[in-house]
Amino acid sequence: MTNTAGEQREPTLPAWLSRLVRALWGFDVRVHALPMAANDFTARRPRFAGSDLWLPSSPLVGVPGSFDDYLFAACAHVSAHLRFGAPRFEIRSLKPAQVAITSVLEDARVERLAIEHYPGLATLWAPYHQARADSAKTSSSLLARLARALHDDTSLDDDAWVSKGRQLFMDGRAEWHDANLCRRIGSTLGNDLGQMRVQFDANGYAVQPPYRDDNTGLWHFDQELGEDGSQLELEGVRRIESDVPAVKQREQGEPEERPARCSGESEPAPGISLALGADVTIASKHPEWDYVIQRERPAFCSVFERPVEPGHTARLVSEARDAATQKRLQRSASRLSDRRAVRTRRLLDGDRLDLPAALGAVVSCHGGVIPDPRIYSRVRYTLDPPALLLLLDLSESLNDVPRDASSSCLHLAQRAIALLAISLSTTTRDWAIHGFSSNGRHDIGYRRFKDFDDPYDEHARSRLAGMRAHSSTRLGTALRHAGRALALRRARRKVLLVMTDGEPSDIDVHDSEYLLFDAKQATIQNRRRGVLSYCLGLDAQAEMSVARIFGAGNYSLLREMECLPQRLTEVYMRLSA
Amino acid sequence: MSEGPLDAFRIRREPYYRALAGEMGLFEAAYTARLPVMLKGPTGCGKTRFVEHMAWRLRQPLITVACNEEMSASDLLGRYLLEGGSTRWQDGPLTVAARHGAICYLDEVVEARQDTLVVIHPLTDDRRLLSLPSKSETLRAHPEFHLVVSHNPGYQSALKDLKPSTKQRFGAIAFDYPARELEVEILMHETSLPRDLAERLVSVAEAARRLEGHGLDEGISTRMLVHAGSLIGQGIAVEAACNMALIQPLTDDLDLTSTLSAAMRACL
């Protein structure tokens, strides 16, 4: 689960964590690993912002239980904030102690609500509450004891302040759905703490127990307050000041925050001039569906088939031999080449008698009719795979390196295809790898990396290795072009497997709905031609658009890019079953 | 009415079924109008149990055919058998139902080959005829004959679907997993689990259903919950029963198993 290899690698977290949040609450979060190197405890504690969640990637010192349990506890706690939390609190005139106490109360409130849904969480969180009722009455220990008292109904803490906090919290039970309760009780308890002359040590304070986040996700820190109000040196504030650059950097890697896909068109690819080049075939014209006028615009888009610059296959080949991945795929692949028995009946000769036909013949004899001599059957073992066209969206965004991956989406896609190709090429040649990228409706580039009936040989591999991603995604036209090629195949079933990482877009289209409707229309037209489309979405965030284009049941989404080879093979198996 | 051939297909005891919405009324109306019915819904949500219950309620015999790819038209219609030196015609299940008047239930109908299913076409429009070409007979369906099919649009391969010409002959009732309260009630009835535990099991199922399309093809069904419940009834520890009946059958993926185990721990 954690790194076993000795070398320096990106810290990773088990993949089940983000799915767990979906299972529990029905929404998605992005789980990121915090760097392992940091020795500072506060730099490694869980935190969240929006639907991004950061968790440590290796066990923390002094935390009881297994690391998996710790991650589960932390993930469940943060997701409870996301599920039951209110908009961030305003700090306004609150003192640091009040901020800390309110946070403890808010932690308890969301946990209580979560436990109402999932009682098992109570036993999960309990072992981390280790504050003892006889510990010294410092602010830190009192807060930890309050946290325990709020969590555990059976804890025996007779400290007056802790008991008061618990009493107020339990009395407000009916208002647990309202976060303002915490703010109210928090100010009261904060004042009490001041009157008890207990110094609140903002510098030494760390939220307890350790599975809880640092509370930065709960508060709206006013910039001015954060800078001049040095009294707010809470753990959370320290975090915010030191980590903002790191967090920002990570966020900039986000798909939705990257600059508009089409803006940086560095590649000079004007369609008309290239169309006259020797190595480019003549444009194919395709219509486009305009949902506003509910009509097709005939011959609206031009597709140019472009040659592919071969690349170096060494890396691709060595990765395809990668033992670990191969092993994982082995089972799927063996099922892929599993042969199915197909019985052909009513044959003139065959291995065995076709009983119903033989009976029919006897019946005919009895009836005085000349019997049909085709009374044998034969069992043939065959795979009968569908004709498959793998269509890749080769737009600029494919060059992004996903957060959970070690290389770009493009590279992962190449690797996945290379692996699938090994299994496919042993059974059939009736499959192809095509890709597209667009630069306005007059210039949609279409590349064939491996065409139908071509062998998957060194040439095909070098073209695959030479795959480049740039420009935009005019999906509908590409679907039509690919559908046309596939419709010509003789196979009984024709499958267009589309791999795309987002919704269609192009530089000359500003209405985001337009290309979406067009792609949907193209899918429907393909279906009429006997071509079934299935989409493997590389960006889980794009579910809405993918679902609308391809329809329920005709797509699946990839959560972790690293699983692409496995998922691609699974999808293929499912389609050819 | 010649009762003989259908005696074996009569349902004597009431099969337990808890109505979810108006599906009983819809089915009865469709039965009265002899409109063929298609039941759609995920695996294990109670489609087959519903048909059994309705057959009992309408006091009709029920002939069930589990469809598969190897099934041919004569498996539905019937065939000649050799007996000594002579031949004898043996009605298939569909012919028996049409001839003597019964509800014929084709389970997982998309599994059958499309060309096989074409034989039901004349039966399912207002002609209500069944043609038996090898016997040179055209059978007019018994007034009590009713056709019900089921299919699961969710997990089936995208390549498997009914022809539009077949689909359009049916009225369809869409099933889904029961609402939480109902599912708890069903589980308590089927397994005699205490309410508290039944609620927790249903929470596990709900968590798994949220993963549909996110790694799982189908979530934990009501049937699987009943399985878990009966294991618990046998004295198996709750976690072990859930693992055996709910989690392990659902997926072989290690990450998904971990997710489901964690979700189960949160629920229990």
Side-chain angles (χ1 to χ4, degrees):
Chain A
M1 163 202 25
T2 45
N3 267 334
T4 46
E7 55 197 282
Q8 275 292 329
R9 275 163 59 178
E10 277 282 298
T12 53
L13 285 169
W16 55 267
L17 282 169
S18 54
R19 280 217 195 89
L20 176 67
V21 177
R22 165 151 281 281
L24 293 182
W25 305 117
F27 52 78
D28 288 317
V29 293
R30 285 174 296 248
V31 183
H32 314 287
L34 287 168
M36 287 193 291
N39 287 321
D40 178 11
F41 171 71
T42 53
R44 296 189 55 208
R45 76 171 315 148
R47 63 187 118 122
F48 70 98
S51 58
D52 287 272
L53 213 125
W54 285 267
L55 298 175
S57 53
S58 60
L60 305 174
V61 179
V63 173
S66 78
F67 184 53
D68 267 0
D69 277 3
Y70 171 80
L71 289 175
F72 182 9
C75 194
H77 175 77
V78 175
S79 64
H81 275 306
L82 296 175
R83 171 68 181 77
F84 298 106
R88 292 178 180 227
F89 292 111
E90 295 290 336
I91 293 207
R92 289 197 206 118
S93 60
L94 286 189
K95 296 194 175 66
Q98 288 170 318
V99 170
I101 297 164
T102 306
S103 303
V104 169
L105 288 157
E106 173 69 4
D107 283 342
R109 184 186 74 86
V110 297
E111 285 191 0
R112 288 284 184 153
L113 292 174
I115 290 169
E116 280 178 14
H117 285 75
Y118 296 107
L121 294 178
T123 41
L124 173 71
W125 286 322
Y128 300 98
H129 287 271
Q130 293 188 324
R132 289 159 46 139
D134 55 1
S135 60
K137 291 194 178 181
T138 61
S139 58
S140 288
S141 87
L142 279 174
L143 277 161
R145 285 162 64 180
L146 176 66
R148 180 170 191 174
L150 295 179
H151 170 83
D152 181 3
D153 289 334
T154 59
S155 86
L156 304 165
D157 199 322
D158 50 10
D159 179 78
W161 183 80
V162 172
S163 307
K164 181 180 179 184
R166 179 201 204 146
Q167 194 60 45
L168 286 172
F169 182 72
M170 296 310 288
D171 288 348
R173 193 180 190 120
E175 294 173 66
W176 278 355
H177 59 273
D178 181 7
N180 286 322
L181 172 77
C182 299
R183 200 186 167 100
R184 235 173 26 239
I185 304 176
S187 344
T188 313
L189 289 180
N191 287 336
D192 289 0
L193 204 63
Q195 283 168 8
M196 286 156 64
R197 305 271 174 245
V198 174
Q199 273 291 323
F200 181 67
D201 172 19
N203 280 317
Y205 177 66
V207 179
Q208 287 296 331
Y211 69 82
R212 288 186 176 172
D213 59 279
D214 63 5
N215 292 333
T216 45
L218 301 181
W219 295 90
H220 192 269
F221 292 100
D222 196 359
Q223 276 304 314
E224 283 174 49
L225 249 181
E227 276 163 26
D228 64 34
S230 52
Q231 79 272 22
L232 277 184
E233 280 263 291
L234 277 182
E235 187 192 1
V237 183
R238 293 200 305 270
R239 280 259 50 70
I240 280 211
E241 283 167 350
S242 61
D243 276 15
V244 160
V247 174
K248 273 272 151 57
Q249 254 175 13
R250 281 171 175 278
E251 279 172 358
Q252 273 159 8
E254 260 312 276
E256 58 265 24
E257 288 190 20
R258 71 180 160 243
R261 224 180 258 167
C262 328
S263 58
E265 300 302 320
S266 56
E267 201 202 43
I272 308 303
S273 61
L274 267 177
L276 301 173
D279 49 357
V280 178
T281 46
I282 304 297
S284 320
K285 293 283 190 183
H286 288 276
E288 192 160 78
W289 176 260
D290 186 335
Y291 79 102
V292 180
I293 57 173
Q294 286 289 304
R295 202 171 295 168
E296 248 178 15
R297 297 177 180 275
F300 197 65
C301 298
S302 311
V303 174
F304 295 92
E305 299 245 0
R306 302 232 160 84
V308 185
E309 289 288 319
H312 293 291
T313 57
R315 187 175 174 194
L316 213 58
V317 172
S318 73
E319 277 177 351
R321 280 204 212 100
D322 165 23
T325 322
Q326 277 288 21
K327 199 175 171 191
R328 258 189 299 129
L329 283 181
Q330 209 168 24
R331 251 180 61 206
S332 322
S334 71
R335 273 196 290 168
L336 187 70
S337 55
D338 235 7
R339 295 183 306 165
R340 217 150 40 89
V342 174
R343 174 178 298 168
T344 322
R345 295 177 182 275
R346 293 196 172 272
L347 295 172
L348 267 178
D349 57 348
D351 322 325
R352 52 176 95 168
L353 214 56
D354 177 2
L355 214 55
L359 279 174
V362 175
V363 170
S364 305
C365 286
H366 278 273
V369 186
I370 298 173
D372 185 340
R374 297 171 300 163
I375 57 162
Y376 290 97
S377 71
R378 192 181 296 155
V379 178
R380 218 160 24 96
Y381 291 92
T382 169
L383 185 65
D384 187 24
L388 174 78
L389 202 168
L390 203 56
L391 183 65
L392 274 117
D393 160 11
L394 292 176
S395 60
E396 180 63 41
S397 51
L398 210 61
N399 290 322
D400 293 349
V401 180
R403 283 190 207 171
D404 57 350
S406 48
S407 47
S408 70
C409 293
L410 174 67
H411 181 72
L412 289 164
Q414 285 171 314
R415 200 176 80 185
I417 294 168
L419 282 162
L420 177 67
I422 294 173
S423 330
L424 273 176
S425 50
T426 57
T427 51
T428 174
R429 274 191 181 185
D430 205 4
W431 63 284
I433 313 165
H434 296 174
F436 71 96
S437 57
S438 66
N439 205 354
R441 71 182 173 99
H442 293 299
D443 179 21
I444 297 149
Y446 193 90
R447 292 175 169 81
R448 300 184 185 225
F449 302 97
K450 177 204 170 296
D451 214 348
F452 294 107
D453 294 334
D454 285 352
Y456 180 68
D457 55 8
E458 195 52 35
H459 297 295
R461 273 192 289 274
S462 68
R463 283 193 296 271
L464 183 60
M467 202 177 260
R468 298 284 171 269
H470 53 80
S471 309
S472 314
T473 317
R474 209 177 189 96
L475 182 60
T477 309
L479 288 175
R480 285 190 187 86
H481 197 74
R484 192 188 277 179
L486 194 51
L488 297 174
R489 304 305 302 170
R490 291 187 59 186
R492 201 162 58 86
R493 299 175 301 161
K494 295 154 194 170
V495 178
L496 180 57
L497 177 51
V498 185
M499 282 165 73
T500 176
D501 62 350
E503 55 184 57
S505 68
D506 208 346
I507 45 171
D508 55 353
V509 179
H510 304 290
D511 177 358
S512 60
E513 293 286 283
Y514 176 88
L515 289 176
L516 217 142
F517 274 105
D518 173 55
K520 183 178 177 180
Q521 189 70 13
T523 309
I524 295 168
Q525 286 165 344
N526 277 342
R527 200 182 169 95
R528 280 193 208 125
R529 281 191 228 176
V531 172
L532 287 152
S533 313
Y534 190 93
C535 177
L536 182 57
L538 304 187
D539 180 3
Q541 307 301 315
E543 172 155 18
M544 277 311 288
S545 57
V546 169
R548 280 174 64 192
I549 295 169
F550 295 93
N554 292 327
Y555 69 93
S556 60
L557 296 167
L558 203 65
R559 300 277 133 191
E560 291 92 27
M561 270 310 278
E562 296 281 1
C563 307
L564 183 59
Q566 178 78 17
R567 285 298 298 280
L568 184 62
T569 311
E570 281 169 12
V571 163
Y572 175 75
M573 283 191 356
R574 195 172 143 186
L575 290 173
S576 53
Chain B
M1 200 195 311
S2 62
E3 293 276 281
L6 295 179
D7 268 353
F9 299 107
R10 293 205 178 274
I11 297 166
R12 317 273 168 204
R13 279 183 50 203
E14 176 180 359
Y16 171 77
Y17 181 78
R18 176 69 171 80
L20 304 178
E23 74 272 26
M24 287 198 184
L26 287 174
F27 190 95
E28 276 175 2
Y31 176 76
T32 313
R34 298 296 185 269
L35 166 68
V37 176
M38 176 192 298
L39 309 177
K40 308 200 298 185
T43 312
C45 69
K47 300 186 292 283
T48 302
R49 182 66 72 84
F50 172 69
V51 180
E52 287 176 355
H53 180 85
M54 292 313 294
W56 172 84
R57 177 177 281 261
L58 296 165
R59 296 177 203 293
Q60 291 300 318
L62 175 70
I63 300 180
T64 304
V65 183
C67 298
N68 62 67
E69 205 171 334
E70 284 285 283
M71 200 172 74
S72 65
S74 55
D75 289 327
L76 283 176
L77 298 179
R79 56 168 57 94
Y80 278 105
L81 300 178
L82 277 180
E83 248 179 22
S86 64
T87 58
R88 180 173 67 81
W89 172 261
Q90 166 88 46
D91 278 343
L94 184 65
T95 314
V96 172
R99 199 186 292 282
H100 303 286
I103 297 177
C104 183
Y105 175 50
L106 306 181
D107 198 5
E108 295 295 353
V109 72
V110 283
E111 294 296 334
R113 286 199 314 274
Q114 309 262 353
D115 43 344
T116 305
L117 285 180
V118 173
V119 303
I120 67 173
H121 283 192
L123 253 188
T124 45
D125 50 34
D126 54 358
R127 293 173 287 171
R128 287 176 63 83
L129 292 176
L130 183 61
S131 148
L132 307 171
S134 42
K135 201 174 175 239
S136 311
E137 180 186 349
T138 301
L139 176 72
R140 186 167 295 280
H142 191 282
E144 309 263 273
F145 168 75
H146 192 219
L147 185 68
V148 183
V149 303
S150 77
H151 93 119
N152 178 348
Y155 79 95
Q156 302 286 2
S157 147
L159 298 168
K160 271 187 184 167
D161 199 2
L162 294 175
K163 286 179 192 236
S165 60
T166 308
K167 275 186 191 173
Q168 292 190 7
R169 291 160 190 276
F170 290 87
I173 303 178
F175 282 72
D176 203 347
Y177 301 119
R180 186 182 171 82
E181 262 313 297
L182 290 180
E183 195 159 29
V184 170
E185 195 184 305
I186 292 168
L187 197 54
M188 285 165 63
H189 179 277
E190 293 279 282
T191 63
S192 60
L193 285 180
R195 169 169 289 276
D196 171 55
L197 193 51
E199 278 179 350
R200 289 171 185 213
L201 286 190
V202 171
S203 298
V204 180
E206 286 175 340
R209 287 168 199 167
R210 292 192 197 102
L211 293 175
E212 281 175 22
H214 297 264
L216 282 184
D217 286 335
E218 288 218 321
I220 292 172
S221 65
T222 313
R223 174 167 46 209
M224 294 172 91
L225 288 178
V226 172
H227 291 169
S230 31
L231 289 177
I232 295 169
Q234 300 271 327
I236 304 288
V238 178
E239 286 210 5
C242 287
N243 192 40
M244 178 177 175
L246 306 182
I247 298 177
Q248 295 302 336
L250 212 54
T251 176
D252 301 323
D253 182 298
L254 276 182
D255 277 332
L256 269 173
T257 315
S258 304
T259 307
L260 289 170
S261 303
M264 173 188 78
R265 281 178 58 197
C267 297
L268 298 176

